[in-house]
Amino acid sequence: MTRYLESARFRLALVAVAGSSVLFGTGVVDAIRLTPLPPTEYASTLGAASAIVRPGATADTLLDDAVANDPFQLTREAPATRYGAAAIPVTIQDVAAGTAQRLASIRLLGTVIDRYGASFALCQLEGATVKMVHTGQQIGIYKLRSITPGSAVFEGQDGAHLELKVSRSSN
């Protein structure tokens, strides 16, 4: 046992463990120690937006204001109208006959293509909730015929074909 304690490898390992323990301890102390933020004049750095910050506001008062206006407070209510893209009226066009007619609005919100056959389209009829529609399934009077990346082809009750494309946001 004493021979093992006298070996150079053991002493080197002992020094490495001691050094890493010191570094670990220093890191823990630095992580726990909180340094106070210096008071800053935010109004001078905000320019035109300085009207939203009280003159002479410090980091502590800004934090107090943020806590007072908690977005997750119990008194918050849902907006009167849902957020989302505006309904776009579509025209069904029979590809073979070249005729067109106006029907209920339908939106294609997205498509998911799966090479194993589980592809689907996210669709929404006017005033309804979003539905996941697979090929062959129906949404309203429309039956989904095919799905490609960014577009889907539907068939109406009278056999008219409707091809919708996912509208790209300008944001």
Side-chain angles (χ1 to χ4, degrees), residues 85 107-111 121-124 129-131 165-168:
R107 280 186 274 177
L108 179 65
L109 302 174
T111 58
L122 293 174
C123 305
Q124 185 177 26
T129 59
V130 176
K131 289 190 176 183
K165 296 189 182 306
V166 176
S167 62
R168 303 288 181 216

Side-chain angles (χ1 to χ4, degrees), residues 39-169:
T40 308
E41 284 296 321
Y42 289 100
S44 62
T45 61
L46 289 175
S50 64
I52 61 172
V53 178
R54 291 188 313 246
T58 63
D60 291 332
T61 57
L62 290 174
L63 181 62
D64 291 340
D65 290 346
V67 170
N69 296 318
D70 179 16
F72 301 104
Q73 59 190 334
L74 297 176
T75 58
R76 283 184 51 112
E77 295 180 5
T81 58
R82 290 181 59 165
Y83 298 117
I88 301 169
V90 295
T91 303
I92 289 190
Q93 181 172 354
D94 189 342
V95 178
T99 60
Q101 68 183 88
R102 163 77 167 87
L103 293 178
S105 293
I106 184 172
R107 280 186 274 177
L108 179 65
L109 302 174
T111 58
V112 175
I113 307 299
D114 180 37
R115 63 179 160 171
Y116 300 111
S119 301
F120 62 89
L122 293 174
C123 305
Q124 185 177 26
L125 285 175
E126 198 169 13
T129 59
V130 176
K131 289 190 176 183
M132 182 170 58
V133 185
H134 294 273
T135 304
Q137 289 183 334
Q138 198 152 339
I139 178 167
I141 62 167
Y142 307 103
K143 189 172 195 174
L144 182 58
R145 287 294 171 202
S146 65
I147 305 170
T148 57
S151 68
V153 176
F154 294 87
E155 185 178 312
Q157 286 177 332
D158 58 354
H161 286 82
L162 167 68
E163 182 175 357
L164 294 178
K165 296 189 182 306
V166 176
S167 62
R168 303 288 181 216
S169 173

